[in-house]
Amino acid sequence: MWPFAKKKPLELPDFWWEYEEHFKEKLPEDIHANTFVVLDSETTGFSLTKDRMLCIGALKLSDNNIVVKDSFEVYIQQEHYDSDSAEIHGILKKSKKDSLIELEALKQFLRYVKNYILVGHHIMFDINMINAALKRNGLPKLKNKTLDTESLYVRTLLISTVVQKKERYSLDDLAKRFSISCKDRHTALGDAFITAIAFLRIIEKLKPKKIKDLLKK
């Protein structure tokens, strides 16, 4: 091979290059000019190798508002099934919900999230599950920046002397703290909605002006 020969570009589907194209644009510095995607996934378990995503639910936040009409929810076809986890998320093996093959679900998800900042409660679990699915389908990892509502919530407690800090905070803890209804708890879209409201309450407390104020660890 000649020393100055160009590397052959990776043979990836068009929808992946469309996704990457969004990252040529810088995120706005002003927090209110950003769009956030709040997401949650329901899975068959916690193993990145053995388990699979059953459903991905997501909502967009724009200028401190939840854009309910632009929500995202996709159910994924699979061979693996765990009846124990079904007791939590309620997705039955013979569910009548329309479902997609994993690659098509990922394609729709990438087109939805673009280069927006992804928000979730314990979000790295969801990100790792999505990345594992991307890898199975021969695709690279997600490129989006992420925010975790647990970490952000802990930052609100640094300026509070009333609430006693714990080591971990569940989504139920945040729902209770901010008086958020848990009617649709343990559905992907329902949990995303709860997380979105909690995120907005946290923003009210932290009062960040620039996006870098939120992204700092």
Side-chain angles (χ1 to χ4, degrees):
M1 182 175 180
W2 294 100
F4 300 108
K6 290 184 178 179
K7 288 184 178 180
K8 185 180 179 181
L10 291 174
E11 294 183 2
L12 296 170
D14 289 343
F15 72 81
W16 177 265
W17 296 119
E18 290 170 12
Y19 166 69
E20 282 215 348
E21 192 71 18
H22 293 294
F23 291 88
K24 291 182 178 179
E25 299 178 24
K26 283 190 174 182
L27 293 173
E29 289 188 14
D30 188 334
I31 189 169
H32 297 297
N34 277 271
T35 297
F36 300 89
V37 171
V38 186
L39 68 93
D40 182 75
S41 64
E42 296 299 332
T43 68
T44 59
F46 299 103
S47 171
L48 295 177
T49 54
K50 295 179 181 179
D51 289 301
R52 299 289 186 269
M53 290 184 294
L54 292 157
C55 179
I56 305 174
L59 293 157
K60 284 179 182 172
L61 293 180
S62 180
D63 195 20
N64 279 353
N65 291 301
I66 301 173
V67 189
V68 177
K69 65 180 181 180
D70 193 13
S71 63
F72 177 89
E73 186 177 41
V74 64
Y75 289 85
I76 303 167
Q77 296 173 11
Q78 71 221 269
E79 296 177 2
H80 180 84
Y81 187 78
D82 186 339
S83 58
D84 290 335
S85 64
E87 293 182 11
I88 298 174
H89 52 64
I91 301 173
L92 303 177
K93 189 172 185 178
K94 295 182 180 179
S95 174
K96 294 181 180 180
K97 294 181 182 295
D98 293 334
S99 57
L100 303 175
I101 61 170
E102 191 173 64
L103 182 60
E104 180 60 29
L106 292 169
K107 174 182 175 180
Q108 292 191 17
F109 177 73
L110 293 177
R111 285 182 170 168
Y112 181 78
V113 301
K114 299 180 181 179
N115 67 332
Y116 302 139
I117 298 172
L118 304 180
V119 181
H121 198 73
H122 301 152
I123 192 169
M124 288 316 299
F125 171 75
D126 301 290
I127 296 298
N128 289 336
M129 289 297 290
I130 294 169
N131 282 338
L134 288 167
K135 184 177 180 180
R136 277 194 299 276
N137 287 276
L139 298 169
K141 293 181 178 180
L142 290 171
K143 298 172 66 69
N144 306 68
K145 294 185 181 300
T146 61
L147 289 169
D148 190 294
T149 45
E150 181 189 50
S151 300
L152 292 173
Y153 177 65
V154 169
R155 280 163 57 180
T156 71
L157 303 182
L158 296 177
I159 54 177
S160 172
T161 57
V162 179
V163 182
Q164 177 123 14
K165 286 196 292 180
K166 301 192 300 184
E167 286 189 13
R168 298 303 301 269
Y169 293 90
S170 67
L171 186 56
D172 289 316
D173 289 329
L174 269 64
K176 183 177 180 181
R177 173 69 180 83
F178 296 120
S179 301
I180 304 169
S181 170
C182 290
K183 179 183 176 183
D184 294 318
R185 184 78 169 94
H186 296 304
T187 65
L189 194 56
D191 283 359
F193 186 73
I194 294 169
T195 304
I197 297 174
F199 179 66
L200 291 176
R201 298 288 187 273
I202 290 167
I203 296 299
E204 287 175 7
K205 288 183 172 294
L206 292 178
K207 294 181 171 56
K209 294 182 179 179
K210 303 293 182 182
I211 196 63
K212 65 181 181 180
D213 297 331
L214 276 185
L215 292 171
K216 68 182 180 181
K217 301 298 182 183

